[in-house]
Amino acid sequence: MEKSKTESQKIEYIVGTEKGLKDLLSETEVMLLLKGVVKAGAASAVITDAKDRVLWSNGNMQDDSPYIETGPVYLEGELVGRIKVYGEDRSKSYLKNLTGLLLDTINMIIHTNLKRMLTTEAHTTIVNQSYEELLETNRKLSLSEGQYRELAESLERKVQERTEELRRAHARMLQQEKMASVGQLAAGVAHEINNPLGFISSNINTLKRYIERFREMVDFYHALLSGGEIADKVRGLAQQKQKDLKIDFIVSDADELIKQSLDGAERVKKIVSDLKGFSHIDEGEEAVVDINTEIDRTLNVLSHEIPKGAEIIKDYHDLPGFVCNPALICQVFLNIILNALQARTGTLKLVISTDIRHNNIMIKFSDNGKGIPDNIKNRIFEPFYTTKDVGKGTGMGLTVAYEVITAYGGTIEVESQPGEGATFIILLPAKRL
Amino acid sequence: MIEFDEIEKRMLLKLVYYGPALSGKTTNLLRLHDLLERNGRGDLMVLDTKDDRTIFFDLLPFFLETPGGLKIKIKVYTVPGQVKHDATRKAVLQRADGVAFIADSQLAEAANNVESFSNLEKNLAIVGLDIENLPLVIQFNKRDLQNIIPEADIKRVWEPTGIPVFTASALQGWGVIETFSRLAELTYRNIDKRYGLKNNYGLDSETFLQKLTRKTEGTGYI
């Protein structure tokens, strides 16, 4: 049957597509039969469609053929065509039988061909469909195989990552243990030093006062000796004695000695107090602070230390309040900034940035100093470790920073390439438990 | 899925007899072929079978013309019931306009009925047909046998679903036309809703059913 030209209504059946006479009968088959009918005595034989249009014909087609015998051709219950047999009037009954025979044969061929076509169609469809299903199954299997392979590969990588993480954690633990024992030791030493240091400072101050008095006495003798009532001999002897004993030099040098001693004692006191601070970080009042404000406060305190022309770039972001001892957290910032000041090679450029990163407060200090060589990178947080000249640094600054930050559940790390400055990265948990 | 050619005024419907192996789907079609008048239906096309088991499908075509000149061809298919022929079932089920599920009443076959019905649900989903909106009737066949599920049990299980259920003996020839008529009626309702068969082509439900189920003169149940 002719299909409609309208695309919208055209539906392809997977099995059982509609067939027409032209689909079901072949020229060879039909013409053989029609020729046979003509040979058997008919003038001509014709097969038309349902609208009487000639599909196939054979024989001498004359308009005035005297007799027509017809029969309907059905396909699936629908009239789809007719066969017409022309001939002489006298052969009427013979032609009728011939037509009947032709009709039966045509119907049989239609039935057989339709059955064959449906079988082929179904077979092809099912084979194709099964093939496509197999392809799809294969595709899915390949996909899942790929996923498993990827999983296996990433597993290896993850094991490596985890191993590295464990190794770092182990190193950190060892470091903490070392810090803790050093801290206890330091606390004990600090206590022991504090007592003698106390009387040393106090005694030097007393001594300073005593020397003042000695000098006063010496000055008094000077004044007396320069008077006229004293015999020249006595004056000469006294002056000689004063010269021999280098009293003038001693008097002037004593001040310097005492000043240096007091400075030294003060330094010892500072070291001891750092030691104490570092071993007693859990003391003191805690409050909710804004880290940005605390950094600014630290910078203000340091303002006289920061050289002219130094560039301090602040890249702050809003941060949640952080519960800590403000003095300690300021001490951390102070130590790191001081470090940057002391490590500078030319004009200082310090970038301070704060941000939130994965539920952590992130604080970064990037300087443009001489940087930290790889071989000492893991030692900078050790107590008493310093690269500064003897007497210039206590080696406690970064240790204190490390202890404070880890006590608050955070981390402090340094990234540095020698000659390209150093970046200290502090991560503090936004919500401290 | 109705194939409808508005210009040629042709409509092609597809009804499918589904069900477990050996439940009598082919017998249903054979019986319809014998019981219904030759005028308006084609021959039963039984595609290659092996030991009387359907491998591909059977096909019984019907043809009718409405007063409004619309030609409607209805092709009734069976599917192979054996589990291994699932690909064929899917191919045949494609674009179906209605389904008759032929269940085997024998108690021993209860599990097979359930399995086949699940298979129908699964395959309908695969070929993109909605079981909620598809005309569906159920026939419990082989009522002539012993050891069959009692009718009360069938009613108790199926009545709440709202799916029309029939009992039949395809072998003896009863219940077959009733099943087919109801499926045709539900299918008509669906198409009428979409294409207005009554308003546009003058074909009402009664005429449609009457044309499809004209019984051959003198043929009663065997």
Side-chain angles (χ1 to χ4, degrees):
Chain A
M1 221 45 50
E2 281 219 348
K3 283 267 168 117
S4 155
K5 271 90 193 158
T6 51
E7 285 296 316
S8 62
Q9 296 294 347
K10 201 171 166 185
I11 296 172
E12 288 296 321
Y13 266 84
I14 310 300
V15 167
T17 321
E18 280 285 85
K19 309 271 187 312
L21 263 191
K22 281 271 192 182
D23 302 316
L24 289 166
L25 293 174
S26 77
E27 181 92 16
T28 332
E29 288 168 330
V30 173
M31 289 313 288
L32 197 68
L33 286 171
L34 295 185
K35 277 177 191 165
V37 171
V38 171
K39 207 179 268 177
S44 63
V46 178
I47 296 179
T48 68
D49 66 9
K51 289 173 180 164
D52 259 353
R53 289 176 295 215
V54 175
L55 297 175
W56 298 281
S57 67
N58 188 252
N60 187 19
M61 294 289 291
Q62 288 166 330
D63 292 341
D64 56 346
S65 282
Y67 183 74
I68 310 172
E69 186 66 49
T70 68
V73 180
Y74 285 101
L75 173 61
E76 297 183 329
E78 180 185 6
L79 179 75
V80 289
R82 281 187 188 82
I83 63 170
K84 294 177 182 174
V85 177
Y86 297 75
E88 299 292 325
D89 194 35
R90 56 186 158 78
S91 336
K92 189 175 170 181
S93 69
Y94 172 68
L95 286 179
K96 199 176 175 112
N97 289 339
L98 201 57
T99 308
L101 190 63
L102 180 61
L103 196 60
D104 285 348
T105 315
I106 293 283
N107 275 332
M108 196 194 71
I109 294 175
I110 289 176
H111 188 83
T112 314
N113 282 356
L114 184 60
K115 189 167 165 176
R116 180 177 52 76
M117 286 165 87
L118 280 175
T119 310
T120 314
E121 215 172 61
H123 185 75
T124 314
T125 306
I126 290 151
V127 167
N128 279 345
Q129 195 167 303
S130 306
Y131 175 67
E132 264 157 33
E133 273 167 20
L134 281 175
L135 280 184
E136 177 65 14
T137 310
N138 181 47
R139 197 188 62 79
K140 281 183 184 155
L141 278 175
S142 310
L143 198 74
S144 78
E145 191 205 344
Q147 281 167 344
Y148 277 115
R149 194 179 299 140
E150 200 184 296
L151 199 69
E153 278 165 11
S154 72
L155 193 67
E156 205 166 298
R157 200 183 64 238
K158 275 181 186 155
V159 167
Q160 277 174 359
E161 278 172 11
R162 190 51 65 88
T163 309
E164 178 62 18
E165 206 171 284
L166 279 173
R167 199 188 61 72
R168 276 200 301 264
H170 183 66
R172 202 154 52 224
M173 209 183 68
L174 282 180
Q175 177 78 352
Q176 273 168 347
E177 216 163 279
K178 194 159 77 183
M179 293 282 201
S181 55
V182 168
Q184 276 175 344
L185 187 71
V189 170
H191 187 73
E192 290 303 316
I193 290 174
N194 253 354
N195 282 333
L197 188 65
F199 66 74
I200 286 173
S201 300
S202 147
N203 287 0
I204 291 174
N205 274 315
T206 312
L207 196 63
K208 194 179 167 191
R209 283 201 305 278
Y210 289 177
I211 284 175
E212 286 298 321
R213 288 199 189 176
F214 280 131
R215 190 158 57 195
E216 229 179 288
M217 199 63 219
V218 171
D219 287 349
F220 178 69
Y221 286 139
H222 256 291
L224 278 185
L225 285 172
S226 47
E229 303 90 51
I230 303 296
D232 281 350
K233 194 184 174 192
V234 175
R235 183 185 295 135
L237 279 172
Q239 280 173 343
Q240 190 54 49
K241 192 68 180 173
Q242 192 173 344
K243 213 172 177 182
D244 288 349
L245 289 174
K246 295 179 182 166
I247 293 299
D248 286 346
F249 170 74
I250 286 171
V251 165
S252 67
D253 196 36
D255 278 352
E256 189 57 32
L257 285 179
I258 284 171
K259 187 178 170 292
Q260 281 180 11
S261 299
L262 279 174
D263 280 356
E266 193 57 37
R267 273 244 311 282
V268 172
K269 210 168 141 192
K270 171 88 170 45
I271 292 170
V272 170
S273 110
D274 274 353
L275 276 172
K276 282 174 94 179
F278 144 71
S279 52
H280 294 101
I281 53 168
D282 48 354
E283 289 175 1
E285 286 291 308
E286 292 206 330
V288 180
V289 303
D290 174 44
I291 296 288
N292 293 334
T293 315
E294 295 306 316
I295 297 173
D296 283 342
R297 205 191 300 266
T298 310
L299 286 169
N300 289 339
V301 170
L302 278 171
S303 57
H304 65 281
E305 297 268 348
I306 296 169
K308 279 221 163 80
E311 207 182 339
I312 308 253
I313 298 156
K314 297 176 194 171
D315 179 19
Y316 293 169
H317 289 85
D318 285 344
L319 299 173
F322 185 70
V323 180
C324 63
N325 180 341
L328 283 177
I329 210 81
C330 282
Q331 186 71 46
V332 171
F333 301 148
L334 181 89
N335 292 354
I336 292 171
I337 297 168
L338 275 178
N339 219 64
L341 284 171
Q342 286 158 358
R344 73 178 189 271
T345 48
T347 313
L348 173 71
K349 183 179 171 188
L350 178 65
V351 181
I352 306 174
S353 62
T354 63
D355 206 348
I356 284 283
R357 189 67 53 89
H358 308 304
N359 291 326
N360 282 315
I361 296 174
M362 186 178 74
I363 311 151
K364 273 171 132 178
F365 296 89
S366 300
D367 65 42
N368 60 342
K370 55 181 179 261
I372 303 164
D374 274 346
N375 58 339
I376 65 160
K377 219 181 268 178
N378 48 9
R379 296 197 61 193
I380 57 171
F381 296 117
E382 278 181 27
F384 307 114
Y385 183 81
T386 179
T387 57
K388 289 163 199 156
D389 295 339
V390 176
K392 270 203 165 177
T394 60
M396 291 303 290
L398 291 177
T399 309
V400 170
Y402 181 91
E403 284 303 309
V404 171
I405 297 301
T406 48
Y408 286 145
T411 59
I412 175 165
E413 281 174 24
V414 65
E415 285 175 1
S416 179
Q417 292 296 322
E420 287 174 25
T423 300
F424 283 89
I425 304 157
I426 297 172
L427 290 176
L428 288 167
K431 283 207 178 93
R432 222 178 107 218
L433 298 175
Chain B
M1 219 151 296
I2 311 139
E3 184 177 345
F4 181 45
D5 187 332
E6 218 167 348
I7 294 171
E8 294 277 322
K9 285 195 173 177
R10 285 186 69 84
M11 186 177 275
L12 180 58
L13 303 177
K14 184 178 192 179
L15 303 178
V16 176
Y17 274 53
Y18 214 90
L22 295 172
S23 69
K25 298 174 289 296
T26 303
T27 315
N28 258 274
L29 250 57
L30 276 169
R31 215 43 85 203
L32 280 177
H33 179 264
D34 295 345
L35 291 172
L36 299 180
E37 202 180 290
R38 187 169 165 33
N39 180 17
R41 64 157 176 77
D43 287 330
L44 176 66
M45 185 80 65
V46 178
L47 294 200
D48 290 352
T49 56
K50 189 168 175 269
D51 307 327
D52 274 346
R53 309 288 296 268
T54 306
I55 297 174
F56 291 131
F57 53 82
D58 308 317
L59 166 61
L60 180 62
F62 291 86
F63 180 77
L64 59 95
E65 213 167 333
T66 72
L70 178 68
K71 293 170 183 164
I72 304 177
K73 190 175 268 186
I74 298 143
K75 292 187 172 182
V76 186
Y77 290 83
T78 62
V79 296
Q82 285 168 281
V83 175
K84 61 182 173 184
H85 294 310
D86 199 43
T88 317
R89 274 195 295 279
K90 260 181 272 178
V92 174
L93 199 57
Q94 245 146 2
R95 302 191 181 286
D97 297 297
V99 171
F101 184 81
I102 310 299
D104 194 324
S105 290
Q106 297 177 92
L107 289 170
E109 297 296 319
N112 288 338
N113 290 336
V114 172
E115 195 190 330
S116 177
F117 198 81
S118 318
N119 178 261
L120 170 64
E121 287 178 316
K122 188 196 85 186
N123 282 343
L124 280 176
I126 288 174
V127 301
L129 291 171
D130 180 12
I131 196 165
E132 297 296 326
N133 296 318
L134 187 74
L136 174 67
V137 299
I138 293 174
Q139 180 194 88
F140 274 81
N141 192 16
K142 305 196 186 176
R143 301 308 294 172
D144 51 301
L145 294 182
Q146 301 296 311
N147 294 325
I148 53 174
I149 179 170
E151 209 164 325
D153 285 2
I154 298 175
K155 275 192 178 158
R156 191 168 44 77
V157 173
W158 289 101
E159 251 172 17
T161 65
I163 303 171
V165 182
F166 295 88
T167 51
S169 168
L171 202 67
Q172 293 176 349
W174 57 272
V176 169
I177 294 182
E178 288 80 353
T179 309
F180 178 66
S181 297
R182 190 55 174 278
L183 179 62
E185 189 191 333
L186 293 176
T187 309
Y188 173 90
R189 222 184 277 173
N190 245 21
I191 312 160
D192 187 44
K193 229 183 280 172
R194 242 178 96 183
Y195 295 105
L197 287 185
K198 193 176 176 197
N199 294 337
N200 299 337
Y201 301 99
L203 179 71
D204 59 22
S205 184
E206 290 74 36
T207 319
F208 180 73
L209 288 180
Q210 191 234 316
K211 284 197 176 207
L212 273 184
T213 58
R214 271 178 301 212
K215 283 183 199 152
T216 310
E217 280 301 310
T219 309
Y221 298 139
I222 304 167

